[in-house]
């Protein structure tokens, strides 16, 4: 994001913000709080609906969580919302992807772009599928790793790859990940779009394989597609023998 973090007060994985029992809470993937800024990092391995509205809601929850009662608005920390997407989340009116490796959004004036609202918020969305278009070599290597699951020659992506392999061998982590139901709602919505919940077996098999290739666990696939776990295991075992590409699921 081309910003420096002086020190991290606390990183919190899967931070949940639900200010009122009647409001929809959010579960943030990685929440980093510096002395003067807050950074939320989100990983998206499959296409999301309403990504813009999602960032808007996350922003509001972060602000509500960070400003204590009695504090002035001027005390709000700078906030950065970073989405790292495996697929391009933006299309034009003809359904063609824009193909940018990075999309950066901040509030400016339509009448005069030199006027900045100066609300100290920034939203950055990376599109890993366009990693070849990224000019910054370090970022390109990282996006390449996200898109292909293959580390390059740089130390950072190699360290990440080694950590991923180590974590995948951690049985405790695998159980906790499966129990979190992290993205059940999004996966179920995607399944409905594909018609798999209406019993279309062929589409159900295709959807299960797609989710598996994008790192979704068997347990979540089974719940989202309303299939028995042993049936999901059978589908995926057949798919594994046919292809070795994609992200190795947990």
């Amino acid at each position: 994001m081309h910003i420096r973090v002086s020190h991290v007060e606390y990183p919190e994985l899967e931070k949940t913000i639900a200010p009122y029992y009647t409001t929809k809470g959010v579960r943030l993937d990685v929440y980093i709080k510096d002395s003067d800024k807050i950074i939320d990092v989100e990983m998206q391995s499959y296409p999301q609906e309403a990504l813009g509205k999602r960032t808007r809601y996350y922003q509001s929850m972060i602000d509500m969580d960070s400003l204590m009662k009695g504090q002035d608005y001027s005390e709000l920390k700078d906030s950065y919302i970073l989405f790292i997407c495996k697929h391009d989340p933006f299309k034009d009116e003809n359904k063609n992807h824009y193909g940018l490796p990075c999309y950066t959004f901040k509030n400016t004036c339509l009448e005069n772009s030199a006027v900045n609202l100066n609300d100290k918020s920034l939203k950055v969305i990376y599109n890993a599928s366009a990693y070849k278009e990224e000019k910054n070599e370090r970022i390109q290597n990282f996006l390449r790793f996200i898109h292909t699951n293959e580390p390059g020659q740089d130390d950072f992506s190699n360290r990440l790859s080694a950590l991923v392999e180590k974590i995948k061998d951690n049985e405790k982590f695998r159980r906790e990940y499966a129990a979190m139901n992290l993205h059940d709602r999004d996966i179920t919505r995607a399944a409905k779009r594909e018609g798999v919940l209406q019993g279309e077996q062929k589409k159900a098999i295709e959807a299960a394989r797609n989710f598996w290739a994008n790192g979704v666990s068997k347990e979540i696939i089974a719940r989202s597609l309303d299939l028995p776990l042993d049936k999901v295991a059978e589908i995926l075992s057949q798919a594994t023998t046919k292809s070795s590409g994609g992200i190795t699921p947990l």
Side-chain angles (χ1 to χ4, degrees), residues 141 144-145 148-154 157-162:
N141 289 332
R144 177 181 179 276
F145 172 60
T148 66
N149 202 39
E150 298 174 359
Q153 301 300 315
D154 64 306
S157 62
N158 274 280
R159 290 205 312 271
L160 284 179
S161 180

Side-chain angles (χ1 to χ4, degrees), residues 215-231:
V216 180
S217 71
K218 294 178 183 177
E219 291 80 4
I220 294 179
I221 294 173
R223 283 194 296 272
S224 300
L225 304 185
D226 197 23
L227 293 173
L229 185 58
D230 57 351
K231 179 62 177 178

Side-chain angles (χ1 to χ4, degrees), residues 126-138:
Y126 274 106
N127 165 28
S129 67
Y131 68 90
K132 293 180 181 179
E133 305 301 320
E134 173 58 48
K135 304 303 181 185
N136 184 297
E137 185 177 359
R138 293 180 63 192

Side-chain angles (χ1 to χ4, degrees), residues 14 45 149 163-180 182-183 211-221 229 232 236 246-250:
E14 290 300 330
S45 60
N149 202 39
L163 284 170
V164 169
E165 294 304 316
K166 180 179 179 180
I167 290 172
K168 287 192 311 193
D169 290 334
N170 186 319
E171 186 61 32
K172 180 175 182 292
F173 175 83
R174 291 164 66 93
R175 290 196 306 268
E176 290 178 352
Y177 182 89
M180 279 182 183
L182 298 185
H183 303 294
F211 288 141
W212 179 248
N214 282 299
V216 180
S217 71
K218 294 178 183 177
E219 291 80 4
I220 294 179
I221 294 173
L229 185 58
V232 171
L236 299 180
I247 297 175
T248 303
L250 295 170

Side-chain angles (χ1 to χ4, degrees), residues 37-95:
K37 63 180 69 70
I38 292 173
I39 303 173
D40 167 38
V41 183
E42 302 290 326
M43 280 293 304
Q44 301 293 322
S45 60
Y46 50 91
Q48 294 286 349
E49 285 186 337
L51 184 62
K53 290 184 177 180
R54 182 183 294 257
T55 63
R56 170 182 161 187
Y57 193 75
Y58 282 20
Q59 178 75 66
S60 66
M61 290 292 102
I62 289 172
D63 288 343
M64 191 176 296
D65 185 63
S66 65
L67 195 64
M68 301 295 292
K69 184 177 180 180
Q71 286 184 303
D72 189 76
Y73 295 122
S74 62
E75 297 179 73
L76 274 173
K77 294 177 181 289
D78 295 4
S79 69
Y80 299 84
I81 296 180
L82 170 62
F83 272 73
I84 303 170
C85 302
K86 187 176 179 184
H87 307 282
D88 193 338
F90 299 110
K91 298 179 182 179
D92 62 21
E93 58 185 14
N94 297 317
K95 306 295 184 181

